Amino acid sequence: MATHNLLEEVKFLTVAEVAALMRVSKMTVYRLVHSGHLPAIRVGRSFRVTEKAVQDYLAHSFKDA
């Protein structure tokens, strides 16, 4: 049951939503996903990225810049 409660709090974003949030193209998001820099799950033929994964990626990117 703990896993069920955890998943209720997770917000999944589409590639288009991630691209809009990061102000980059969808292709850039796909490249990040395929390179392993941005964790994602595959749902059917599309990808979903957790909001936390985007926040973690951006936080890490600021540290590297």
Side-chain angles (χ1 to χ4, degrees), residues 11-48:
K11 182 176 180 186
F12 289 99
L13 304 172
T14 65
V15 168
E17 290 170 331
V18 174
L21 186 65
M22 294 175 62
R23 307 264 198 254
V24 298
S25 70
K26 290 192 297 184
M27 185 55 65
T28 299
V29 177
Y30 282 117
R31 285 187 191 116
L32 290 170
V33 168
H34 287 291
S35 68
H37 289 98
L38 186 61
I41 61 167
R42 189 175 269 274
V43 179
R45 294 181 59 197
S46 60
F47 287 98
R48 295 293 184 268

